[in-house]
PDB file of all heavy atoms in Angstrom:
ATOM      1  N   ARG A  61     -28.803 311.217 -93.110  1.00 80.00           N
ATOM      2  CA  ARG A  61     -29.480 312.306 -93.813  1.00 80.00           C
ATOM      3  C   ARG A  61     -30.870 312.492 -93.243  1.00 80.00           C
ATOM      4  O   ARG A  61     -31.598 311.521 -93.061  1.00 80.00           O
ATOM      5  CB  ARG A  61     -29.573 311.974 -95.304  1.00 80.00           C
ATOM      6  CG  ARG A  61     -28.255 311.941 -96.009  1.00 80.00           C
ATOM      7  CD  ARG A  61     -27.734 313.334 -96.227  1.00 80.00           C
ATOM      8  NE  ARG A  61     -26.564 313.592 -95.408  1.00 80.00           N
ATOM      9  CZ  ARG A  61     -25.917 314.736 -95.404  1.00 80.00           C
ATOM     10  NH1 ARG A  61     -26.285 315.719 -96.158  1.00 80.00           N
ATOM     11  NH2 ARG A  61     -24.883 314.907 -94.623  1.00 80.00           N
ATOM     12  N   ALA A  62     -31.215 313.740 -92.981  1.00 80.00           N
ATOM     13  CA  ALA A  62     -32.528 313.987 -92.404  1.00 80.00           C
ATOM     14  C   ALA A  62     -33.603 314.039 -93.473  1.00 80.00           C
ATOM     15  O   ALA A  62     -34.783 314.000 -93.179  1.00 80.00           O
ATOM     16  CB  ALA A  62     -32.510 315.291 -91.622  1.00 80.00           C
ATOM     17  N   SER A  63     -33.179 314.143 -94.721  1.00 84.00           N
ATOM     18  CA  SER A  63     -34.161 314.237 -95.801  1.00 84.00           C
ATOM     19  C   SER A  63     -34.078 312.988 -96.669  1.00 84.00           C
ATOM     20  O   SER A  63     -32.991 312.533 -96.999  1.00 84.00           O
ATOM     21  CB  SER A  63     -33.865 315.473 -96.648  1.00 84.00           C
ATOM     22  OG  SER A  63     -34.472 315.331 -97.901  1.00 84.00           O
ATOM     23  N   PRO A  64     -35.219 312.433 -97.069  1.00 86.00           N
ATOM     24  CA  PRO A  64     -35.167 311.238 -97.919  1.00 86.00           C
ATOM     25  C   PRO A  64     -34.525 311.516 -99.270  1.00 86.00           C
ATOM     26  O   PRO A  64     -34.005 310.604 -99.910  1.00 86.00           O
ATOM     27  CB  PRO A  64     -36.644 310.851 -98.074  1.00 86.00           C
ATOM     28  CG  PRO A  64     -37.417 312.056 -97.705  1.00 86.00           C
ATOM     29  CD  PRO A  64     -36.587 312.807 -96.728  1.00 86.00           C
ATOM     30  N   ARG A  65     -34.537 312.766 -99.714  1.00 88.00           N
ATOM     31  CA  ARG A  65     -34.011 313.078-101.039  1.00 88.00           C
ATOM     32  C   ARG A  65     -32.504 312.900-101.125  1.00 88.00           C
ATOM     33  O   ARG A  65     -31.945 312.855-102.199  1.00 88.00           O
ATOM     34  CB  ARG A  65     -34.345 314.518-101.401  1.00 88.00           C
ATOM     35  CG  ARG A  65     -35.784 314.846-101.227  1.00 88.00           C
ATOM     36  CD  ARG A  65     -36.436 315.132-102.542  1.00 88.00           C
ATOM     37  NE  ARG A  65     -37.832 315.481-102.352  1.00 88.00           N
ATOM     38  CZ  ARG A  65     -38.812 314.948-103.051  1.00 88.00           C
ATOM     39  NH1 ARG A  65     -38.548 314.062-103.981  1.00 88.00           N
ATOM     40  NH2 ARG A  65     -40.045 315.312-102.848  1.00 88.00           N
ATOM     41  N   GLN A  66     -31.847 312.857 -99.983  1.00 87.00           N
ATOM     42  CA  GLN A  66     -30.382 312.738-100.002  1.00 87.00           C
ATOM     43  C   GLN A  66     -29.916 311.380 -99.530  1.00 87.00           C
ATOM     44  O   GLN A  66     -28.737 311.186 -99.308  1.00 87.00           O
ATOM     45  CB  GLN A  66     -29.770 313.810 -99.086  1.00 87.00           C
ATOM     46  CG  GLN A  66     -30.179 315.199 -99.469  1.00 87.00           C
ATOM     47  CD  GLN A  66     -29.865 316.207 -98.383  1.00 87.00           C
ATOM     48  OE1 GLN A  66     -29.632 315.857 -97.237  1.00 87.00           O
ATOM     49  NE2 GLN A  66     -29.855 317.465 -98.757  1.00 87.00           N
ATOM     50  N   ALA A  67     -30.854 310.456 -99.336  1.00 88.00           N
ATOM     51  CA  ALA A  67     -30.468 309.188 -98.715  1.00 88.00           C
ATOM     52  C   ALA A  67     -30.544 308.044 -99.719  1.00 88.00           C
ATOM     53  O   ALA A  67     -31.299 308.085-100.689  1.00 88.00           O
ATOM     54  CB  ALA A  67     -31.386 308.908 -97.539  1.00 88.00           C
ATOM     55  N   ASP A  68     -29.715 307.025 -99.503  1.00 87.00           N
ATOM     56  CA  ASP A  68     -29.727 305.836-100.349  1.00 87.00           C
ATOM     57  C   ASP A  68     -30.314 304.639 -99.626  1.00 87.00           C
ATOM     58  O   ASP A  68     -30.719 303.676-100.247  1.00 87.00           O
ATOM     59  CB  ASP A  68     -28.305 305.431-100.748  1.00 87.00           C
ATOM     60  CG  ASP A  68     -27.478 306.589-101.185  1.00 87.00           C
ATOM     61  OD1 ASP A  68     -27.898 307.242-102.137  1.00 87.00           O
ATOM     62  OD2 ASP A  68     -26.428 306.837-100.575  1.00 87.00           O
ATOM     63  N   LEU A  69     -30.255 304.685 -98.305  1.00 89.00           N
ATOM     64  CA  LEU A  69     -30.611 303.492 -97.545  1.00 89.00           C
ATOM     65  C   LEU A  69     -31.623 303.867 -96.484  1.00 89.00           C
ATOM     66  O   LEU A  69     -31.414 304.813 -95.733  1.00 89.00           O
ATOM     67  CB  LEU A  69     -29.340 302.915 -96.878  1.00 89.00           C
ATOM     68  CG  LEU A  69     -29.552 301.883 -95.778  1.00 89.00           C
ATOM     69  CD1 LEU A  69     -30.126 300.619 -96.347  1.00 89.00           C
ATOM     70  CD2 LEU A  69     -28.245 301.593 -95.076  1.00 89.00           C
ATOM     71  N   MET A  70     -32.714 303.127 -96.447  1.00 90.00           N
ATOM     72  CA  MET A  70     -33.700 303.350 -95.401  1.00 90.00           C
ATOM     73  C   MET A  70     -33.595 302.206 -94.401  1.00 90.00           C
ATOM     74  O   MET A  70     -33.723 301.038 -94.774  1.00 90.00           O
ATOM     75  CB  MET A  70     -35.098 303.396 -96.003  1.00 90.00           C
ATOM     76  CG  MET A  70     -36.186 303.659 -94.985  1.00 90.00           C
ATOM     77  SD  MET A  70     -37.807 303.458 -95.703  1.00 90.00           S
ATOM     78  CE  MET A  70     -38.390 305.122 -95.669  1.00 90.00           C
ATOM     79  N   ILE A  71     -33.281 302.561 -93.151  1.00 89.00           N
ATOM     80  CA  ILE A  71     -33.257 301.545 -92.107  1.00 89.00           C
ATOM     81  C   ILE A  71     -34.581 301.677 -91.356  1.00 89.00           C
ATOM     82  O   ILE A  71     -34.790 302.645 -90.636  1.00 89.00           O
ATOM     83  CB  ILE A  71     -32.065 301.738 -91.153  1.00 89.00           C
ATOM     84  CG1 ILE A  71     -30.744 301.678 -91.929  1.00 89.00           C
ATOM     85  CG2 ILE A  71     -32.066 300.664 -90.075  1.00 89.00           C
ATOM     86  CD1 ILE A  71     -29.523 301.923 -91.091  1.00 89.00           C
ATOM     87  N   VAL A  72     -35.488 300.741 -91.574  1.00 89.00           N
ATOM     88  CA  VAL A  72     -36.784 300.799 -90.890  1.00 89.00           C
ATOM     89  C   VAL A  72     -36.564 300.258 -89.481  1.00 89.00           C
ATOM     90  O   VAL A  72     -36.524 299.058 -89.262  1.00 89.00           O
ATOM     91  CB  VAL A  72     -37.853 300.000 -91.632  1.00 89.00           C
ATOM     92  CG1 VAL A  72     -39.198 300.186 -90.958  1.00 89.00           C
ATOM     93  CG2 VAL A  72     -37.932 300.438 -93.065  1.00 89.00           C
ATOM     94  N   ALA A  73     -36.376 301.172 -88.534  1.00 87.00           N
ATOM     95  CA  ALA A  73     -35.997 300.778 -87.178  1.00 87.00           C
ATOM     96  C   ALA A  73     -37.196 300.899 -86.270  1.00 87.00           C
ATOM     97  O   ALA A  73     -37.462 301.950 -85.720  1.00 87.00           O
ATOM     98  CB  ALA A  73     -34.846 301.643 -86.685  1.00 87.00           C
ATOM     99  N   GLY A  74     -37.931 299.827 -86.121  1.00 86.00           N
ATOM    100  CA  GLY A  74     -39.043 299.858 -85.182  1.00 86.00           C
ATOM    101  C   GLY A  74     -40.338 299.386 -85.808  1.00 86.00           C
ATOM    102  O   GLY A  74     -40.407 299.056 -86.976  1.00 86.00           O
ATOM    103  N   ARG A  75     -41.378 299.375 -84.962  1.00 88.00           N
ATOM    104  CA  ARG A  75     -42.666 298.890 -85.426  1.00 88.00           C
ATOM    105  C   ARG A  75     -43.340 299.935 -86.298  1.00 88.00           C
ATOM    106  O   ARG A  75     -43.269 301.125 -86.019  1.00 88.00           O
ATOM    107  CB  ARG A  75     -43.537 298.531 -84.240  1.00 88.00           C
ATOM    108  CG  ARG A  75     -43.520 299.574 -83.145  1.00 88.00           C
ATOM    109  CD  ARG A  75     -44.041 299.010 -81.832  1.00 88.00           C
ATOM    110  NE  ARG A  75     -44.202 300.075 -80.864  1.00 88.00           N
ATOM    111  CZ  ARG A  75     -43.487 300.158 -79.738  1.00 88.00           C
ATOM    112  NH1 ARG A  75     -42.574 299.257 -79.470  1.00 88.00           N
ATOM    113  NH2 ARG A  75     -43.699 301.134 -78.886  1.00 88.00           N
ATOM    114  N   VAL A  76     -43.985 299.483 -87.351  1.00 90.00           N
ATOM    115  CA  VAL A  76     -44.685 300.375 -88.268  1.00 90.00           C
ATOM    116  C   VAL A  76     -46.171 300.225 -88.010  1.00 90.00           C
ATOM    117  O   VAL A  76     -46.742 299.165 -88.203  1.00 90.00           O
ATOM    118  CB  VAL A  76     -44.367 300.013 -89.729  1.00 90.00           C
ATOM    119  CG1 VAL A  76     -45.004 301.020 -90.654  1.00 90.00           C
ATOM    120  CG2 VAL A  76     -42.879 299.956 -89.952  1.00 90.00           C
ATOM    121  N   SER A  77     -46.798 301.285 -87.536  1.00 90.00           N
ATOM    122  CA  SER A  77     -48.231 301.193 -87.271  1.00 90.00           C
ATOM    123  C   SER A  77     -48.981 301.441 -88.570  1.00 90.00           C
ATOM    124  O   SER A  77     -48.428 301.940 -89.545  1.00 90.00           O
ATOM    125  CB  SER A  77     -48.641 302.213 -86.220  1.00 90.00           C
ATOM    126  OG  SER A  77     -48.576 303.496 -86.775  1.00 90.00           O
TER     127      SER A  77
END
Side-chain angles (χ1 to χ4, degrees):
Chain A
R61 293 285 111 180
S63 160
R65 309 246 181 228
Q66 303 166 343
D68 315 302
L69 165 67
M70 181 189 248
I71 301 177
V72 185
R75 45 197 189 245
V76 185
S77 71

